[in-house]
Amino acid sequence: MRRKHGVTRRLTTVVAGGLLAVWPMLSLAAPAIGAADPTTGVPSLVISQFKITSSNGQFITLYNPTDSLQSMSNYQLEYFNNFDLGKATSSKLIALSGTVPPHSYFMVSDDSLRLCYQMTMQSASLGLSSTAGLVEVLHFSQSDPGSGITTSVEDSVGWSKTAAAGAQTLPANTAASLLRQPQAASGVPLVTAPAGGSWQPVQPSPSDACQLVKVNDPANTPVNTGLNELLPSVEPPALIVSLAASGQDPAAPSLPAADIGLMAPRLSEILPNPLGSGNDASDEFVELYNPNATSFDLTGFSLQSGIASLHHAAFPSGTLLPAKSFTAFYSSNTGLSQSNSGGQVQLLDPFGSSLSSTAIYGSAKDGQAWALANGKWYWTDMPTPNAANVIKQSGGAAKNAARTSSTKSRTTTGGAQPLAAANASVTKSDASQTPIHLTALALVGGLALLYGAYEYRADLANHFYWIGRHLRLGSSTWPAFTRRRSH
């Protein structure tokens, strides 16, 4: 018995030591439900709207209810393919980036959406299950550089295709989404605890895509919200609202007071590759359109070009866009570089959020501008800086593309090398245009036969000798052929 008790004591000591060793990791691996503000309990970032069905894409919209600028690198979305973790078979983390201003929205989307409301956008491959799922908003904090990381769940929502306890029932309408309730008079969600509140199925109004209405409501009653998504075919400009909080640091980013209530300028045309050589640093331009009836102050705004490698150019303080005007900003003044091989240009507000962006373009030909017309971006042979866009395409590119495709199809037949086969086809085409006369061909052939007869006259005489002898003897067997040549 004494030996048994000794073993038990040693085993207890080992287990206790092991628990003490892994306790810090256990506290990190199991996030605690918590909030950024311990005095009020209000989460620092909440889910305000989400769409799971695949029609027109999936998205999750987050809202910053605090008076502080939030760095999204401190947050991640954690997704499970079932709202019941005991039944979930997969999960993944979705990293976030950028910033979201106080009392503003941040959307993570896997499709292109045009918005009525100014917000920060991030593209991500979501792949959310339309049968059942759960998303959590994780916040990471660190007391000192190099110290341990504390994780908290700021908010969460679970969903199911059919009614189930602990999950929101997805609407049958594939264009519908779920909107967080309750809301303040301004339309922002009032969330005082993680996973709190309820959800309202909504969809874009048939008469006004900027207005959300309740699902299955014959009267199409508008829903009060500070956020509405647009259908892809609708393209009104974004409305800028005040984002400055009371008591905000004067040095912090803020919108010019003159811009509050105005529509955001739109990118309307860019010229990445000016006609000529050595003039990219001076003649490239980015054009903005001001849709307002008054001038727009660009103080604090900036332009961004590129996709993988980004370039920025901030507008000088006091830069104004005249009312209802197109204004081109040249690289000689902005210093903004645009890639000739492909890229994109965006207009950023003082908080770094994208207000307007061009479609991503490919290789830019000399002198062709990338211009907006009827909601789409086109290459045009007629740049129009400081004026309405004119789409003019010569069609040469299309013809060249068709010719290249035809040549490629022709030259790869039979495994020939493309360059050699292309040359052969050109030679054939040239011959058909300058045919050689048949008389000349016959003359050349006759001369060649005469020369051969003269050169091999001895051999021919020998052949005729054996043929004659065979005929005279009437032999049924040909003699062995011997080739001789006299010199």
Side-chain angles (χ1 to χ4, degrees):
M1 294 295 292
R2 183 174 302 170
R3 177 180 177 82
K4 181 177 180 181
H5 289 304
V7 172
T8 302
R9 284 195 297 270
R10 286 196 296 273
L11 181 60
T12 302
T13 303
V14 170
V15 172
L19 289 175
L20 289 175
V22 302
W23 179 256
M25 290 183 288
L26 292 175
S27 62
L28 175 61
I33 300 294
D37 189 343
T39 58
T40 63
V42 176
S44 62
L45 198 65
V46 299
I47 303 171
S48 66
Q49 188 180 6
F50 69 98
K51 181 175 178 292
I52 302 300
T53 50
S54 59
S55 176
N56 296 328
Q58 300 179 336
F59 65 78
I60 298 174
T61 304
L62 306 173
Y63 176 68
N64 176 10
T66 72
D67 294 336
S68 304
L69 183 75
Q70 296 287 0
S71 173
M72 300 306 289
S73 60
N74 294 333
Y75 295 87
Q76 286 186 345
L77 297 180
E78 186 170 20
Y79 161 69
F80 300 89
N81 66 345
N82 199 298
F83 61 90
D84 184 351
L85 294 186
K87 299 179 180 179
T89 58
S90 65
S91 65
K92 67 177 179 179
L93 291 173
I94 303 172
L96 305 176
S97 61
T99 59
V100 57
H103 309 289
S104 296
Y105 294 90
F106 184 99
M107 176 181 280
V108 183
S109 173
D110 64 2
D111 198 4
S112 59
L113 291 173
R114 294 184 175 90
L115 306 172
C116 293
Y117 195 89
Q118 186 264 335
M119 63 162 54
T120 303
M121 297 285 298
Q122 177 177 327
S123 297
S125 177
L126 295 177
L128 307 178
S129 170
S130 58
T131 302
L134 174 72
V135 164
E136 293 182 332
V137 181
L138 303 182
H139 177 257
F140 302 94
S141 59
Q142 190 179 40
S143 59
D144 297 298
S147 63
I149 298 176
T150 302
T151 308
S152 63
V153 178
E154 297 297 297
D155 198 14
S156 65
V157 62
W159 64 85
S160 175
K161 186 176 182 179
T162 57
Q168 306 300 321
T169 304
L170 296 178
N173 187 337
T174 58
S177 59
L178 290 170
L179 185 68
R180 193 67 167 269
Q181 304 291 316
Q183 294 182 330
S186 60
V188 300
L190 293 175
V191 181
T192 58
S198 60
W199 295 85
Q200 171 69 53
V202 295
Q203 65 185 29
S205 169
S207 59
D208 182 4
C210 277
Q211 179 64 61
L212 295 180
V213 297
K214 296 180 180 179
V215 172
N216 299 327
D217 179 12
N220 289 325
T221 305
V223 177
N224 182 28
T225 175
L227 170 67
N228 298 295
E229 80 272 14
L230 287 181
L231 298 178
S233 59
V234 182
E235 196 179 357
L239 178 65
I240 294 183
V241 298
S242 175
L243 300 176
S246 58
Q248 184 174 339
D249 182 359
S254 62
L255 289 173
D259 294 343
I260 295 176
L262 298 182
M263 291 181 289
R266 297 291 305 274
L267 282 160
S268 58
E269 184 180 1
I270 63 174
L271 182 65
N273 189 8
L275 192 62
S277 60
N279 56 355
D280 284 3
S282 59
D283 293 349
E284 292 181 355
F285 70 78
V286 174
E287 182 185 74
L288 295 176
Y289 174 68
N290 177 13
N292 300 285
T294 184
S295 60
F296 190 95
D297 190 352
L298 289 175
T299 300
F301 291 74
S302 61
L303 295 172
Q304 175 181 287
S305 65
I307 299 177
S309 179
L310 302 178
H311 304 273
H312 295 83
F315 290 100
S317 178
T319 302
L320 298 179
L321 288 178
K324 299 288 184 180
S325 69
F326 295 88
T327 305
F329 296 89
Y330 283 85
S331 53
S332 57
N333 295 322
T334 64
L336 186 70
S337 174
Q338 302 178 51
S339 173
N340 293 349
S341 59
Q344 184 182 37
V345 175
Q346 299 186 63
L347 172 65
L348 307 181
D349 69 5
F351 302 99
S353 302
S354 178
L355 290 178
S356 178
S357 63
T358 69
I360 297 176
Y361 63 89
S363 179
K365 295 183 179 298
D366 288 350
Q368 283 192 338
W370 189 233
L372 179 66
N374 297 326
K376 296 183 179 180
W377 287 84
Y378 300 88
W379 287 115
T380 176
D381 297 332
M382 185 179 294
T384 56
N386 302 310
N389 295 337
V390 176
I391 305 302
K392 179 184 178 183
Q393 297 179 341
S394 63
K399 294 179 181 178
N400 290 336
R403 187 182 303 116
T404 301
S405 175
S406 175
T407 302
K408 181 177 181 181
S409 174
R410 181 173 63 249
T411 57
T412 54
T413 302
Q417 294 296 324
L419 181 59
N423 289 340
S425 65
V426 172
T427 303
K428 180 178 180 181
S429 175
D430 292 342
S432 64
Q433 295 176 10
T434 57
I436 300 176
H437 200 278
L438 293 178
T439 303
L441 290 176
L443 179 60
V444 172
L447 292 175
L449 289 175
L450 291 175
Y451 174 77
Y454 173 77
E455 183 70 14
Y456 295 98
R457 59 190 181 276
D459 290 336
L460 289 174
N462 188 35
H463 296 169
F464 289 137
Y465 166 78
W466 284 107
I467 291 174
R469 184 175 179 223
H470 169 72
L471 292 176
R472 288 193 301 271
L473 296 176
S475 173
S476 60
T477 304
W478 286 88
F481 186 83
T482 302
R483 181 176 297 234
R484 295 188 305 172
R485 183 171 182 175
S486 62
H487 297 280

